[in-house]
Amino acid sequence: MSSNKAAVELDELIEKILEKTNEWETSQRDIALSLKTAVEDFHREALHRLIACLHDDPASQGGLRRAIREPMVYALLRHHQLLKPSLEEQVLVALDEARPVLSQHGGNIELVSISADRDVSLRLLGACDGCSSSQITMEKGVERILREHCDWIRDVVVEEPAADKDTMIVNIVSPFEDRGAL
């Protein structure tokens, strides 16, 4: 079984168990949640100490980096807040905040890349691709949200619209444009 599949199955099992506790009396539910919290606190502290030991040993640092790249280990350490979200995860969370507004206008956005210099390249999709108001959308909406979530970004670059489109839907109003009282 792959580590990703095992992680998903474990997540589903935990959710089912937690749903069952909703049927329990409050005192029973409190005991179960206290036990869950105690086990998680114990695991978090043990993992923290393990990472500290490996980090302090130069010979072990390569192995630690390899272990962190393993999806199940990464997910476990993220769950216990022992690793910060990757730069990509931070950008994706910010883009998820912008997507509902873009989708109201038939658009979307995707992350293309993050450079070593911390420049973020994005591509506007759907109605936003080639829209005359896309610059306003980027500056007043997407870029503002990105910088709120990701203060490490040096520059935001928008990739050119797709050149091979047969038809183009054009929105003449940015969903982020301040239109005041209309």
Side-chain angles (χ1 to χ4, degrees), residues 58-79:
S60 300
Q61 290 179 3
L64 179 59
R65 281 191 286 278
R66 281 191 308 279
I68 289 171
R69 285 192 297 265
E70 201 284 319
M72 189 172 273
V73 173
Y74 181 82
L76 177 68
L77 297 176
R78 284 286 298 120
H79 171 77

Side-chain angles (χ1 to χ4, degrees), residues 64-157:
L64 179 59
R65 281 191 286 278
R66 281 191 308 279
I68 289 171
R69 285 192 297 265
E70 201 284 319
M72 189 172 273
V73 173
Y74 181 82
L76 177 68
L77 297 176
R78 284 286 298 120
H79 171 77
H80 287 293
Q81 300 174 344
L82 295 171
L83 287 178
K84 293 179 183 176
S86 69
L87 301 182
E88 181 179 354
E89 285 175 295
Q90 293 174 44
V91 170
L92 292 174
V93 165
L95 292 179
D96 284 346
E97 188 175 311
R99 279 193 176 94
V101 177
L102 297 173
S103 69
Q104 290 175 349
H105 285 243
N108 201 348
I109 192 161
E110 73 177 347
L111 172 63
V112 175
S113 65
I114 301 173
S115 74
D117 293 332
R118 299 189 174 204
D119 294 337
V120 174
S121 294
L122 305 171
R123 181 175 294 118
L124 292 167
L125 304 170
C128 293
D129 179 4
C131 173
S132 60
S133 294
S134 62
Q135 184 176 355
I136 294 169
T137 298
M138 286 304 301
E139 290 172 4
K140 292 190 175 191
V142 176
E143 190 169 345
R144 179 186 53 78
I145 292 169
L146 273 172
R147 292 195 184 278
E148 286 172 6
H149 286 269
C150 312
D151 59 358
W152 50 264
I153 293 176
R154 188 179 71 123
D155 195 18
V156 177
V157 179

Side-chain angles (χ1 to χ4, degrees), residues 10-74:
L10 181 59
D11 249 2
E12 289 171 355
L13 176 62
I14 290 169
E15 280 302 313
K16 285 179 185 176
I17 293 170
L18 289 175
E19 284 176 19
K20 279 290 187 193
T21 65
N22 290 331
E23 299 168 8
W24 298 355
E25 292 181 23
T26 303
S27 62
Q28 292 172 317
R29 192 171 41 250
D30 290 346
I31 290 169
L33 292 175
S34 293
L35 176 61
K36 176 185 174 284
T37 300
V39 169
E40 286 184 341
D41 289 347
F42 174 78
H43 288 163
R44 182 179 300 110
E45 183 59 28
L47 288 167
H48 177 75
R49 291 179 187 194
L50 175 64
I51 291 168
C53 289
L54 293 172
H55 188 268
D56 291 345
D57 179 10
S60 300
Q61 290 179 3
L64 179 59
R65 281 191 286 278
R66 281 191 308 279
I68 289 171
R69 285 192 297 265
E70 201 284 319
M72 189 172 273
V73 173
Y74 181 82

